[in-house]
Amino acid sequence: MKAFIVWGEKELPKDNKDSRFYLWNDFLKLGADVKDAVILEKVSRQKPGECSTLIYTSGTTGNPKGCMLSHDNLCWEAIPMMNEAQKSDPSMNPNSHRIVSYLPLSHIAGLAVDLMSHIYAGHELYFAKPDALAGTLVQTLTWARPTIFFAVPRVWEKFEEKLKEIASTKP
């Protein structure tokens, strides 16, 4: 890991001796002197098929495997997904929605649906705590008040179980 970017804090812990930690505003200052031409030149060197990130399979059909995804592959997934969503729901315009990301970003749905497509659309993106699926997701949802929520089937089942539990205590 090259760096850790801390957002939402005014200072790092006083006992932090690791130079890889940056506050968000300090991190942004690192690139303040970089000219746009340098960034555009680096972007222009990107080629289709180059690895952007890794995701990992669950091992359902064998041993778990790391899978390379290219930047163009992620855009190929995210852009049409949001374009189709915007066609069917005109309110899916930039800055009009909030989403909570709770799946690991090494999971294809967490990466493509939660992250890439909503960054492309310009929506507000909130990240749940790492233990979201162990119980804190409801707290994050209550706080962030998402207007779009994507969930894998097991999460919807957990919601249903909790609602039935609550309903069983009511007369």
Side-chain angles (χ1 to χ4, degrees), residues 109-128:
L111 182 64
V113 178
D114 283 3
L115 187 67
M116 295 299 293
S117 59
H118 293 283
I119 286 175
Y120 169 72
H123 296 157
E124 289 180 42
L125 179 61
Y126 295 82
F127 288 97

Side-chain angles (χ1 to χ4, degrees), residues 43-52 69-74:
V43 169
S44 73
R45 287 192 313 219
Q46 293 178 343
K47 304 285 183 256
E50 289 182 346
C51 184
S52 172
L69 293 179
S70 62
H71 181 76
D72 53 310
N73 175 275
L74 292 170

Side-chain angles (χ1 to χ4, degrees), residues 2 6 9 14 16 22 25 31 44 61 63 82-83 85 87 100-101 104 106 113 127 145 157 159-160:
K2 290 183 180 180
V6 180
E9 297 294 328
K14 301 216 184 312
N16 176 49
Y22 297 89
N25 288 333
S44 73
T61 60
N63 290 329
M82 290 313 294
N83 286 343
K87 281 182 197 173
V100 170
S101 177
S106 59
V113 178
F127 288 97
R145 300 180 61 203
E157 289 168 0
F159 283 165
E160 180 184 29

Side-chain angles (χ1 to χ4, degrees), residues 35-95:
K35 305 283 185 231
D36 286 350
V38 172
I39 296 169
L40 292 172
E41 191 273 327
K42 288 183 181 203
V43 169
S44 73
R45 287 192 313 219
Q46 293 178 343
K47 304 285 183 256
E50 289 182 346
C51 184
S52 172
T53 191
L54 297 173
I55 63 166
Y56 295 89
T57 66
S58 64
T60 306
T61 60
N63 290 329
K65 298 164 201 70
C67 303
M68 295 189 308
L69 293 179
S70 62
H71 181 76
D72 53 310
N73 175 275
L74 292 170
C75 291
W76 183 86
E77 291 179 42
I79 293 170
M81 186 183 325
M82 290 313 294
N83 286 343
E84 286 302 312
Q86 288 170 339
K87 281 182 197 173
S88 65
D89 180 358
S91 75
M92 291 286 278
N93 56 25
N95 304 318

